[in-house]
Amino acid sequence: MTWYDPRMLKWFKKRTVREAKGVSGSAPHIIGRDHHNISRKNISRNALKVLYKLNEAGYASYLVGGGVRDLLLERRPKDFDIATDATPEQVKHLFRNSRLIGRRFRLAHVFFGRDIIEVATFRGPNVDNAKTSDQGMILRDNDYGTLEEDAWRRDFSINALYYNIDDFSVVDYTGGVPDVKAKNLRIIGEPEKRFREDPVRMLRAVRFAAKLDFRIEKRCEKSIDKLGGLLEDISSARLFDESTKLFLSGHGVESFYELRHYDLFYTLYPEIDELLDEHPKLEKFIEVAMRNSDRRIANNQPVTPAFLIAVLLWPEVKQRADGHNAKDGAYLQALQQEGDHVLHHQQQRTAAPRRFTAQAREIWVVQQRLIMRRQPYKIFEHPRFRAAYDFLLLRAESGETELQELADWWTRFQEVEGEERKSMVNSLGGGGQKKRRRKKRKPKTNDGQAAVADA
Ligand code: ATP
Ligand code: MG
């Protein structure tokens, strides 16, 4: 049987029914090396090193999660996660270059310079009620288990596939392989229970649907409609992490529209969500900016969460600053004030590290300086010049056409040098240079000498 054989689909359908009835303990489907397309060539050297070392030490050693899923889809995995029956302490002992992390999930990080390979011990089912909140949320999850138990407690069937380094087969307990083939995003087990255990799985569902262009199963969709509000109980630091993954993994546009579609965007950015509902035209700016970030990621250019924050919060910051009816310098002050206000509120939902919020604020302020064009040379040297200029271009492109001429001026300013640049600045008239004022003359004494200050 090949991995996409229709007979296999039937087999898994039966399995899912059995699983729903709570029957477990049946054999997995094992897809031999000749019947799948995963090649060691496409697995990172460091991940292979870890896989082999665990295996040679006598432990079970599998590649799991996004790595296996993406390789089956012939995509380049973002990272490689490894699952084993060795405890975190045993992993730590085996790899000198490793560290144990996490409280909710204790796992080992193996370091190879900047590359980190995550090694997790098989998890068992949660049996202890004391580790679950009143809402059914799992608070701690450190009960170790078997490979099979580990598979059933993963989030989606497509994320519960294991590549066995011992014989290069793929092990499938949950029907992930046919789901990969059918582009079907299916949560393992009963959706409501699984989303209650960890509401972030709803955001993950949207992220994978957007990234892989998969369809979220109907019964999952229904539960998301019902349970979206549970995300309010998730820590703001974790929501920031998820938000970054949603918007800075190369599929920001799709993620944005999918989140809006499932009405989950409000759980991350409540004020912006309301504003976009009132003024749907404002979506355009976010779309243009996200598309630009997606393109940069595709071209291996850097993207920063600071720019993302600046983009997502901008419609609200602008609306509030516009409410001041101020111009030039006074508008700049309004931007600073409203920027602080919006950032402060947003921190309670998605808590970004301070350096990112500080940079987002600078992007807003500096692009207002670009608009005013006072002291162009000084603005040009500002560390946020480039980001603010990009931001201005995106505003012009997304409908603020009156900014286009100004954006073109700054484009040219960067292209030319020396005398040409000087003449650009001079042609701005008084506006281009800091206004120089004559200093007040010191009062003269009778004999024509300047008076000494306190003589
Ligand atoms: P990618 O790394 O491409 O974003 P991924 O599927 O590898 O996607 P990770 O966050 O790296 O996602 O997690 C690795 C694996 O751990 C997942 O594939 C899944 O099996 C499991 N997992 C992660 N988060 C959860 C969760 N909240 N609930 C259950 N299983 C999870
Ligand atoms: Mg991963």
Side-chain angles (χ1 to χ4, degrees):
M1 250 195 289
T2 57
W3 67 282
Y4 47 83
D5 193 311
R7 277 177 298 165
M8 194 163 149
L9 196 61
K10 222 167 169 185
W11 185 86
F12 275 116
K13 274 193 182 144
K14 273 199 217 146
R15 268 287 335 225
T16 316
V17 172
R18 251 184 292 151
E19 178 230 327
K21 286 182 184 156
V23 183
S24 62
S26 49
H29 202 90
I30 294 178
I31 301 107
R33 173 64 193 98
D34 296 340
H35 299 287
H36 66 71
N37 60 334
I38 298 182
S39 153
R40 273 166 294 163
K41 232 182 29 243
N42 299 321
I43 302 173
S44 83
R45 274 200 16 224
N46 296 335
L48 283 174
K49 269 190 217 163
V50 177
L51 283 167
Y52 278 125
K53 194 159 177 180
L54 282 166
N55 185 253
E56 279 156 19
Y59 297 115
S61 173
Y62 295 88
L63 191 67
V64 66
V68 182
R69 177 196 69 216
D70 292 350
L71 289 176
L72 283 175
L73 287 164
E74 300 193 343
R75 288 165 164 267
R76 188 139 67 109
K78 192 176 88 208
D79 48 34
F80 292 95
D81 301 307
I82 288 170
T84 178
D85 59 358
T87 63
E89 288 70 24
Q90 286 169 327
V91 177
K92 169 106 186 59
H93 190 73
L94 195 59
F95 296 93
R96 266 191 304 146
N97 50 331
S98 70
R99 228 178 54 199
L100 300 188
I101 62 143
R103 246 186 334 147
R104 212 170 63 91
F105 291 104
R106 197 165 162 73
L107 36 86
H109 274 174
V110 186
F111 293 88
F112 298 90
R114 291 179 61 173
D115 188 20
I116 300 173
I117 305 291
E118 209 166 272
V119 183
T121 306
F122 296 148
R123 292 292 191 306
N126 246 87
V127 280
D128 184 354
N129 282 340
K131 292 176 188 168
T132 312
S133 80
D134 295 345
Q135 300 285 340
M137 195 156 102
I138 295 179
L139 304 174
R140 259 167 298 137
D141 191 6
N142 278 323
D143 297 321
Y144 303 131
T146 62
L147 170 63
E148 174 171 12
E149 286 167 338
D150 189 79
W152 291 108
R153 57 154 287 286
R154 287 182 181 267
D155 49 4
F156 302 98
S157 64
I158 60 166
N159 286 347
L161 295 168
Y162 298 77
Y163 172 81
N164 186 353
I165 199 66
D166 201 44
D167 61 3
F168 315 128
S169 65
V170 171
V171 182
D172 184 4
Y173 279 98
T174 64
V177 169
D179 281 335
V180 166
K181 182 70 193 158
K183 290 177 155 267
N184 187 27
L185 191 72
R186 183 167 58 81
I187 197 156
I188 296 171
E190 210 270 302
E192 182 156 343
K193 176 168 179 283
R194 302 304 314 279
F195 286 140
R196 280 186 187 279
E197 278 174 5
D198 182 4
V200 170
R201 288 175 185 150
M202 291 184 264
L203 295 176
R204 289 175 59 85
V206 166
R207 175 153 72 86
F208 295 127
K211 166 174 163 166
L212 307 169
D213 192 23
F214 273 35
R215 256 205 70 85
I216 300 179
E217 249 195 338
K218 272 246 155 52
R219 54 188 200 119
C220 264
E221 285 185 320
K222 276 197 190 138
S223 300
I224 292 176
D225 291 343
K226 183 172 162 193
L227 302 174
L230 291 180
L231 281 160
E232 281 172 27
D233 298 335
I234 302 298
S235 82
S236 49
R238 192 162 174 221
L239 288 184
F240 174 72
D241 269 2
E242 281 304 316
S243 164
T244 322
K245 288 186 194 165
L246 278 155
F247 296 119
L248 290 185
S249 303
H251 302 88
V253 178
E254 292 87 351
S255 293
F256 172 64
Y257 283 117
E258 287 287 293
L259 282 175
R260 292 270 295 156
H261 173 76
Y262 288 107
D263 206 15
L264 291 180
F265 189 70
Y266 89 92
T267 64
L268 296 171
Y269 298 91
E271 271 89 15
I272 308 295
D273 191 65
E274 253 174 53
L275 192 63
L276 296 179
D277 284 346
E278 278 167 40
H279 307 280
K281 272 193 181 155
L282 295 177
E283 277 189 339
K284 176 83 178 167
F285 170 71
I286 296 182
E287 182 189 317
V288 167
M290 290 285 170
R291 182 149 291 132
N292 177 60
S293 290
D294 289 347
R295 209 177 305 126
R296 289 179 66 93
I297 293 165
N299 295 333
N300 287 322
Q301 289 170 283
V303 286
T304 147
F307 198 78
L308 171 77
I309 296 167
V311 165
L312 286 170
L313 302 186
W314 174 245
E316 196 196 355
V317 173
K318 179 173 188 303
Q319 198 204 39
R320 296 179 70 99
D322 287 353
H324 287 233
N325 274 325
K327 274 189 146 176
D328 296 341
Y331 188 80
L332 196 96
Q333 274 185 352
L335 266 183
Q336 284 172 329
Q337 189 185 326
E338 298 301 345
D340 284 344
H341 174 92
V342 171
L343 282 169
H344 178 74
H345 266 251
Q346 186 56 37
Q347 281 300 91
Q348 284 145 41
R349 224 74 260 284
T350 58
R354 246 190 113 74
R355 66 181 188 283
F356 295 139
T357 52
Q359 286 175 17
R361 188 178 184 273
E362 282 179 338
I363 291 173
W364 297 328
V365 170
V366 173
Q367 41 125 35
Q368 177 58 19
R369 294 224 161 95
L370 293 176
I371 292 173
M372 288 156 56
R373 286 190 289 191
R374 294 200 188 131
Q375 300 179 282
Y377 290 103
K378 209 168 157 196
I379 303 169
F380 187 49
E381 277 161 23
H382 195 286
R384 234 48 69 207
F385 169 83
R386 185 70 213 189
Y389 163 76
D390 286 344
F391 201 95
L392 192 70
L393 293 184
L394 295 172
R395 284 177 65 186
E397 188 187 334
S398 66
E400 290 184 78
T401 45
E402 68 280 9
L403 296 177
Q404 190 58 54
E405 206 175 305
L406 196 92
D408 291 343
W409 189 91
W410 278 106
T411 307
R412 192 164 155 64
F413 182 86
Q414 293 169 78
E415 285 164 0
V416 299
E417 277 176 8
E419 283 306 310
E420 234 180 316
R421 196 179 265 178
K422 220 186 233 169
S423 88
M424 277 182 81
V425 174
N426 289 342
S427 66
L428 289 174
Q433 292 296 347
K434 183 179 176 186
K435 282 211 179 85
R436 302 218 148 259
R437 275 209 210 107
R438 279 198 204 139
K439 298 208 173 52
K440 220 171 163 184
R441 278 206 185 93
K442 295 197 172 137
K444 285 187 178 163
T445 52
N446 286 343
D447 59 359
Q449 297 280 314
V452 182
D454 51 0

